[in-house]
Amino acid sequence: MRRLFAASVLCALLSAGSFSPAVSCAAVGSGPTVLSYGSGADQVMKVWLADQQLFPGPQKVFMVGPPGGYVTAELTKIDPAVEPWKGLHDAGWAIVGVDYTTSYGGPGVYPQPFLDAVAAVQTLRFNAAALGIDPERIGFYGSATGGTIALWAGAAPDQQVAGATDYTGQSSVCPAVGVDCCTNWEELP
């Protein structure tokens, strides 16, 4: 229930246009399009656009940072065919699942997962026109570890990430952030 409430509040903020963001992000395809935002194996995101026949204009973006305790990012739990993502996707939202560097078999120590969130936002923004998303309507939601990287994307100043693709001039800040620090993702199908 908390997860659905947080998602509803985030969507209301993005739909209302009650802020003037200096941000953007992106999305693509009927199945997920996989975009890389760095050279690491974990530095990828999956992007699902809503049906472009029903929603032909640039789509609002709902980025999702999965939980995982900085050990493993559970990106497989993000699927627009299941709730709570299905309702958003069916309403015309692009869903973007953001993977991040973890400590399991990699250098996922502070601040790398946070810097990954920054690089992901910049990559989406840079590709917004090609992917058909609205760079003025982006939110970042996460649960547990995903919530901390979402908060970073919403609160950290613009920055360039070493080792990430250089998208100079692309803001790394998301204007709307939703966090559920206590979600039990085992409830999801």
Side-chain angles (χ1 to χ4, degrees):
M1 185 57 91
R2 287 186 313 268
R3 181 175 51 252
L4 293 176
F5 175 74
S8 298
V9 171
L10 182 58
C11 291
L13 285 171
L14 288 170
S15 297
S18 60
F19 55 86
S20 298
V23 297
S24 43
C25 290
V28 171
S30 58
T33 296
V34 178
L35 294 178
S36 175
Y37 59 83
S39 59
D42 292 332
Q43 293 175 313
V44 297
M45 59 191 125
K46 291 183 179 180
V47 184
W48 292 268
L49 280 182
D51 186 331
Q52 292 182 311
Q53 296 293 330
L54 297 173
F55 305 98
Q59 297 179 8
K60 297 172 275 195
V61 177
F62 196 86
M63 293 177 72
V64 183
Y70 302 106
V71 176
T72 179
E74 299 177 33
L75 194 57
T76 57
K77 299 270 183 163
I78 301 167
D79 182 347
V82 299
E83 293 296 347
W85 327 121
K86 182 178 180 352
L88 294 168
H89 197 247
D90 290 350
W93 289 74
I95 305 295
V96 178
V98 181
D99 204 348
Y100 48 86
T101 306
T102 62
S103 59
Y104 182 75
V109 297
Y110 176 85
Q112 192 57 53
F114 302 102
L115 298 177
D116 284 357
V118 167
V121 171
Q122 290 172 328
T123 300
L124 288 173
R125 182 171 300 109
F126 182 81
N127 292 288
L131 296 168
I133 63 148
D134 184 344
E136 299 297 320
R137 306 282 183 166
I138 178 172
F140 203 143
Y141 169 82
S143 174
T145 303
T148 63
I149 69 168
L151 285 173
W152 184 277
D158 280 333
Q159 53 194 295
Q160 183 56 45
V161 180
T165 304
D166 183 9
Y167 292 125
T168 303
Q170 302 300 319
S171 176
S172 61
V173 180
C174 280
V177 174
V179 178
D180 181 356
C181 296
C182 303
T183 297
N184 179 356
W185 281 57
E186 297 304 314
E187 299 169 359
L188 293 176

